[in-house]
Amino acid sequence: MSRALRVLTAAALLVPLAACSTSSGDRSDKPAAKAPGFPYTVTNCGVKTTYDAPPERAVTMNQHATEVMLELGLKDRLAGTAYLDDKVLPKYEKAYESLPVLAKEYPSFEKLLSADPDFVYGGYASAFLAGDGRSRSALAKSGIKSRLNVEGCAKRAVTMDDVYREVREVGATFGVRERAEKWVSGAKRELAATVQKSKNSQNSKSGKPVSVFVYDSGDKTAFTAGGRGIGNDIIERAGGRNVFADVDKAFSDASWEKVVERRPEAILILDYGATTVAQKKKRLLDDPALADVPAVKHERFAVLRLSDVVTGVRAPEAVRKLAAQL
C-alpha cells in the first residue's frame, strides 16, 4: 500500500509538470504570424479603420460592391449579399448563386447581424442609412467594420482613377493586392485602346464629341446624370459630352425645357428596374415637346445598364460599349 501510494503521488506531481512543459512549448502561445500587408489602415469616406487581418465574413450591399468582391476572387469571404440593380455579369453568375441573399433590397439591421459579419461593404450611401439602423457607427458598436464605395461620399467629380482606387483598397483590405493590381493594369490597357479608337473615330468625322443626355427615369422632370458621378467620365472617355455636366451632382432632376434647350445629339438610356428600355424610348418619342431635339428626331439612342455607370469593375467596359454606340 505504501509503495502504491508513492507511485500515485509521484504521478500526480508529474501531471502539472507535463502540463507546464506542453504549455511552454505550445506554438499556440506564440504571437500569431501577421498576414502580409497587415496591419492595414485606410480612411474611407471619413472613417479611419485599421485591419489586423483580412475580414472573414463580409456582407455586400449593392451590386457593384458584390461584383468588386467576386472579381477579386473573394467569394469564400462572403457571408451574404443584398440588393441587385439587375443581373450580375455572366462570369459571376455561378459564384453569385452560391451566396446567401439576405434581402431583395436592404436587409434590416437584425437580418444583417444574423449573417454574423465582421465587415459590411455598401455601394451607395443608402446602404448605411442611420434611420434604418444600419449606420456605420452602429455597425462599429457591434464590432463590425465597414466600407462605403468612394462615389457614395465624393465631394468632387468621380473619375476612372477612383474606380482603380476602389478596387485597390478593397484588395488591400482582403490581402489580395496582387489580384487588384492585375485587374487595374488590365482595365487601364482596355481603356487606353478604347479611348484611342474613339478619338480616331471622332477625327474621321466631325472631330467634336457627341452631345449626350442621360435619361435615367422621370416623367414631370428628367432624372439625369450630372457632372460629379463616374457616368460623366464614362461619357467623355467614350467620345461624348454630357449636356448636364455642369450640374454638381452624380444624379439630379432636370426640367424638360432644359433638355430641349441643350439639344442633345444622342440619348443614353439607363436600363434597370420595372420600366423597360422600350417604355423609356416611347416616353421620349411620344413627347411633342421633344420632337425637335436632334436625338429624338433622329432616334439616336444608346443603352447601358445602371450597374455599368457606377464606380465598380464594369466602368472600363462601359466606356467601350458606349463608344461603340455613339
Side-chain angles (χ1 to χ4, degrees):
M1 290 293 293
S2 177
R3 181 175 180 278
L5 183 60
R6 287 198 302 273
V7 170
L8 290 171
T9 303
L13 289 170
L14 287 173
V15 170
L17 290 174
C20 289
S21 175
T22 303
S23 176
S24 64
D26 191 340
R27 293 172 64 184
S28 65
D29 279 356
K30 294 180 180 179
K34 294 285 187 182
F38 291 88
Y40 168 64
T41 299
V42 62
T43 298
N44 163 247
C45 291
V47 178
K48 186 176 182 179
T49 307
T50 296
Y51 297 87
D52 293 320
E56 296 290 338
R57 295 185 57 80
V59 169
T60 52
M61 296 196 288
N62 302 121
Q63 183 167 340
H64 48 307
T66 302
E67 290 188 346
V68 169
M69 293 286 287
L70 295 179
E71 179 62 39
L72 294 177
L74 296 168
K75 177 180 74 72
D76 61 329
R77 306 286 184 87
L78 284 168
T81 184
Y83 216 141
L84 291 185
D85 288 315
D86 44 65
K87 291 183 178 180
V88 296
L89 288 172
K91 65 178 178 177
Y92 305 139
E93 282 180 357
K94 187 176 180 180
Y96 179 78
E97 287 169 1
S98 69
L99 300 176
V101 177
L102 303 183
K104 184 178 180 181
E105 294 185 356
Y106 291 127
S108 66
F109 188 61
E110 292 73 20
K111 184 68 174 178
L112 184 57
L113 292 181
S114 72
D116 190 27
D118 58 2
F119 178 83
V120 176
Y121 181 16
Y124 299 114
S126 52
F128 297 118
L129 284 180
D132 293 340
R134 296 186 309 269
S135 68
R136 297 182 73 179
S137 59
L139 290 169
K141 288 177 182 177
S142 297
I144 302 169
K145 294 179 170 63
S146 62
R147 177 179 180 85
L148 174 60
N149 183 289
V150 292
E151 192 170 14
C153 63
K155 303 299 182 186
R156 53 166 177 74
V158 175
T159 70
M160 206 64 66
D161 286 340
D162 294 294
V163 174
Y164 304 148
R165 174 187 168 194
E166 184 70 20
V167 173
R168 281 173 169 145
E169 289 186 354
V170 173
T173 298
F174 284 87
V176 291
R177 293 172 188 260
E178 289 185 3
R179 296 180 199 174
E181 285 302 326
K182 182 178 179 181
W183 182 87
V184 169
S185 296
K188 285 183 174 181
R189 287 194 300 271
E190 176 188 348
L191 195 58
T194 298
V195 171
Q196 186 57 53
K197 185 176 180 180
S198 177
K199 286 181 179 178
N200 291 340
S201 177
Q202 286 180 41
N203 291 336
S204 66
K205 296 175 183 177
S206 66
K208 295 179 180 180
V210 179
S211 58
V212 178
F213 158 58
V214 178
Y215 182 49
D216 175 289
S217 57
D219 189 30
K220 292 183 178 180
T221 59
F223 194 57
T224 189
R228 184 175 284 189
I230 188 66
N232 187 72
D233 192 44
I234 289 171
I235 291 169
E236 289 182 354
R237 291 173 186 265
R241 175 181 61 80
N242 179 8
V243 296
F244 287 105
D246 59 324
V247 176
D248 192 24
K249 293 181 179 179
F251 285 91
S252 179
D253 284 306
S255 69
W256 290 110
E257 289 79 11
K258 285 287 186 183
V259 176
V260 172
E261 178 185 308
R262 300 190 180 195
R263 299 181 58 78
E265 298 167 291
I267 296 175
L268 170 58
I269 294 176
L270 299 186
D271 180 15
Y272 74 100
T275 307
T276 66
V277 169
Q279 289 171 327
K280 291 182 180 182
K281 282 184 180 180
K282 188 175 187 304
R283 189 261 172 262
L284 296 167
L285 292 169
D286 289 352
D287 188 341
L290 303 177
D292 290 329
V293 171
V296 174
K297 186 175 182 178
H298 300 291
E299 298 190 27
R300 293 173 180 155
F301 297 104
V303 179
L304 289 177
R305 290 191 175 275
L306 177 62
S307 51
D308 290 332
V309 293
V310 289
T311 308
V313 292
R314 294 187 184 216
E317 173 66 8
V319 176
R320 187 194 66 76
K321 291 194 291 187
L322 182 57
Q325 293 179 79
L326 294 184

